[in-house]
Amino acid sequence: MADPDSRRDHVGLFLNLAGERRTAFQSECGEMFGRLLLADTIDTAVAALGRQKVDLMVVDLGGFEGAVELAAVGALIRGRNGAPTLVLCPYVGSCWLPELMACGPLHYRITPILAAETQQAVRQALAAPLDAAASAQQVLLDKEKELRDLLTIQRSLQRALGSVDEVGIMASQVCLALCSFPGVRHTALLHMKERGDLQLMAQESRNHLDIGRLMGRRDRLLQSPLHEIFPPLLAVATGEMVLLDAPEKAGDPELALSLHDRDVQMVLALPLRNEPGGPVQGAISFMFDRHLQFSREQFACFASLAQFVSFALGMSELKHQNDALAGRLTQMSTVDALTGAANRRKGEEILDNEIRRARRYGLELAAISFDIDNFRSVNDLYGYPIGDQALRVVAGTVSARLRTSDTLARMRGEEFMIVATHTGAVDALKLAEKLRATIADTELPGCDTVTISLAVAQVAPDEGVSAVLERLDAALHRAKRSGRNCVELAMP
């Protein structure tokens, strides 16, 4: 590489709208130029570029605000037609770099920046290769390797995103896949839960770093004291990419020391959102053990990776919501809304399944039918709200005295059925008598005590659902005719 300091005929242009670093830059790098032009407006820079050839344009983005100014800088870069351009960008504005790279080739450094680093960046930008052909060949080789690295990490991420059923497993696999990028020593996935609760969902560490411990918490991370300087938290707060190329530039000595102790030289964080301008779902974070100059393609790849992860999180959340809705729909179609017991269709389905199982394995099975005595009088005397309350209390009282293997179903109105597995006629009669006595002693709010009449049937091996229900219905009518508040056995 030619030494630019051996030439004094370079013309440089330094543009900074705020004018904060003009004197510093002139003293740091002025000797590298035969002539250094200073500009504090876009128009001044355009005029200077129009008057003469500028070997290196340096743009310090400190003090830039708004898309209009950034678009104007992009036009300056586009007008350079590939001539050397160096962009000095604050780390809180590093999201501007990919946009400016789309306007033309450029070198960049993240500010704040030391004088020695500024001088080195200027030398590299001004240096011309001794062998242009060899340099072009090396550029192609570097691009080929870069492409292989990007394809590798994309394939790894695609495999990791196959586990949307278990979002925790998927998050861990995503972090593991992202660690395949060269130089990455730590990756983390932060996810925004309800009410702004940002949580550390997963991390993969090759340097024993735990960012949960670093931030002093694993949930409600935006309440961390580091929320205004730590790149992953800043990416969530601003909704923009954040590149911190040296931990000390964040301005927190303790944070910088903690990262340097784990060999972290650079941090890149990207927000997660399903669509441009949409709500931020979280962030992914990369920590590197070396300083890297990213190309436009690499920035685009990282943005694509973040988009893939956002889609996967969205799909996982949507699947969980669909599963919850399906569960509620299933419950609505199988559960009686008033009493919480199974409805008639579900009760008959369970009875049929238990009959088949008892027949297959030679097990005993019993069914008990009961209804509330004189229930119409309860409604007439006290009103339907009290009647509904009586149904809920009776169903709840009976359910509390059944085994987990038994099923209570509301068949119609005030009539219920119990499917009692592994139960013969004698035990079923004992259970029915116990339920009858319990209900008779139960006080109901707003009305007199009610009673129930019950019928018990032991299911025969060759019986079906209809036959069992017919026998129960006949026995229940006998119990009613016998004076109610009693138990009748349904004969074969």
Side-chain angles (χ1 to χ4, degrees):
M1 303 288 285
D3 182 1
D5 284 348
S6 64
R7 301 174 56 194
R8 302 298 181 190
D9 57 347
H10 291 301
V11 176
L13 172 65
F14 179 77
L15 170 63
N16 178 247
L17 297 189
E20 297 171 350
R21 279 180 42 82
R22 284 183 299 175
T23 303
F25 184 83
Q26 191 169 16
S27 63
E28 292 166 1
C29 305
E31 62 179 14
M32 300 182 190
F33 300 97
R35 186 179 181 195
L36 178 61
L37 308 175
L38 302 176
D40 54 9
T41 68
I42 299 292
D43 291 340
T44 304
V46 171
L49 291 171
R51 284 194 302 267
Q52 65 182 104
K53 178 180 178 296
V54 171
D55 297 291
L56 175 63
M57 180 176 71
V58 181
V59 181
D60 189 341
L61 295 179
F64 276 67
E65 294 180 2
V68 175
E69 292 177 347
L70 200 63
V73 173
L76 286 176
I77 295 173
R78 194 178 297 111
R80 296 281 290 160
N81 296 319
T85 299
L86 172 62
V87 174
L88 306 178
C89 180
Y91 91 92
V92 292
S94 49
C95 58
W96 299 333
L97 291 174
E99 184 176 342
L100 294 178
M101 285 179 168
C103 300
L106 57 84
H107 304 267
Y108 72 86
R109 290 292 188 276
I110 302 298
T111 58
I113 185 171
L114 298 175
E117 189 179 355
T118 306
Q119 293 165 3
Q120 181 187 28
V122 170
R123 288 192 185 95
Q124 290 177 347
L126 283 172
L130 293 176
D131 188 338
S135 177
Q137 181 65 26
Q138 186 59 48
V139 169
L140 290 176
L141 292 174
D142 291 343
K143 284 295 181 183
E144 183 179 349
K145 181 181 183 303
E146 178 183 300
L147 179 60
R148 286 198 304 269
D149 292 339
L150 296 180
L151 289 176
T152 298
I153 192 173
Q154 284 184 339
R155 292 193 188 103
S156 298
L157 185 62
Q158 287 171 353
R159 289 192 294 269
L161 296 180
S163 305
V164 294
D165 290 352
E166 294 293 337
V167 66
I169 295 176
M170 181 194 71
S172 296
Q173 292 179 344
V174 164
C175 291
L176 180 62
L178 296 179
C179 272
S180 63
F181 193 85
V184 173
R185 302 290 290 166
H186 185 282
T187 56
L189 176 56
L190 283 60
H191 191 208
M192 185 73 77
K193 301 294 185 179
E194 295 180 356
R195 300 177 183 175
D197 181 9
L198 182 65
Q199 297 184 1
L200 174 60
M201 179 171 288
Q203 60 180 326
E204 178 68 22
S205 178
R206 306 291 170 84
N207 56 0
H208 306 291
L209 173 66
D210 181 357
I211 66 171
R213 183 177 299 174
L214 182 69
M215 293 183 288
R217 58 202 310 144
R218 295 178 182 273
D219 57 4
R220 303 197 179 280
L221 297 179
L222 292 179
Q223 297 180 14
S224 167
L226 303 176
H227 72 279
E228 293 184 345
I229 57 173
F230 193 42
L233 305 184
L234 197 57
V236 173
T238 63
E240 302 287 356
M241 180 195 81
V242 179
L243 174 61
L244 179 65
D245 70 340
E248 57 271 16
K249 293 183 180 181
D252 187 307
E254 186 175 347
L255 172 64
L257 182 61
S258 298
L259 294 178
H260 277 302
D261 283 346
R262 298 301 182 186
D263 197 25
V264 175
Q265 304 298 320
M266 190 168 75
V267 183
L268 173 67
L270 299 100
L272 301 177
R273 46 163 56 100
N274 280 334
E275 56 186 1
V280 176
Q281 294 179 292
I284 55 174
S285 168
F286 302 79
M287 295 190 185
F288 300 84
D289 62 3
R290 66 197 72 170
H291 294 283
L292 300 173
Q293 280 279 303
F294 293 127
S295 66
R296 178 189 175 190
E297 291 77 14
Q298 287 172 319
F299 277 128
C301 176
F302 286 125
S304 296
L305 296 179
Q307 191 75 63
F308 290 156
V309 175
S310 299
F311 286 153
L313 286 175
M315 289 175 60
S316 180
E317 289 184 347
L318 184 60
K319 184 181 185 304
H320 284 293
Q321 291 173 5
N322 288 340
D323 290 346
L325 285 173
R328 286 197 290 269
L329 287 173
T330 299
Q331 184 179 29
M332 290 172 61
S333 64
T334 60
V335 176
D336 176 59
L338 178 63
T339 63
N343 60 20
R344 182 186 181 95
R345 183 177 67 178
K346 187 63 176 179
E348 292 182 353
E349 177 186 334
I350 291 174
L351 178 59
D352 182 61
N353 290 337
E354 292 300 333
I355 288 174
R356 294 173 187 272
R357 192 164 71 92
R359 185 181 301 148
R360 184 181 306 117
Y361 298 108
L363 303 173
E364 290 185 317
L365 177 66
I368 302 172
S369 179
F370 70 88
D371 72 2
I372 300 176
D373 298 328
N374 300 314
F375 186 69
R376 183 175 297 177
S377 299
V378 174
N379 283 330
D380 291 342
L381 288 173
Y382 304 106
Y384 286 100
I386 298 299
D388 289 346
Q389 180 68 9
L391 285 171
R392 283 193 290 267
V393 171
V394 169
T397 303
V398 171
S399 294
R401 282 156 180 78
L402 298 180
R403 301 168 301 178
T404 55
S405 60
D406 299 335
T407 300
L408 174 67
R410 184 183 180 190
M411 305 301 284
R412 65 175 71 85
E414 68 275 18
E415 184 178 335
F416 295 81
M417 177 186 67
I418 299 169
V419 180
T421 60
H422 306 279
T423 304
V426 174
D427 289 333
L429 284 169
K430 291 179 180 178
L431 173 61
E433 180 58 33
K434 185 184 298 183
L435 294 175
R436 184 203 64 77
T438 299
I439 296 300
D441 292 338
T442 299
E443 295 184 1
L444 300 179
C447 69
D448 294 333
T449 300
V450 299
T451 60
I452 58 174
S453 299
L454 304 97
V456 175
Q458 180 168 350
V459 180
D462 58 347
E463 272 191 307
V465 172
S466 298
V468 174
L469 293 180
E470 287 178 6
R471 286 203 293 128
L472 285 173
D473 191 53
L476 193 57
H477 279 293
R478 290 199 303 273
K480 294 287 188 181
R481 290 194 300 269
S482 298
R484 301 183 175 86
N485 192 23
C486 62
V487 179
E488 283 284 338
L489 179 64
M491 302 304 295

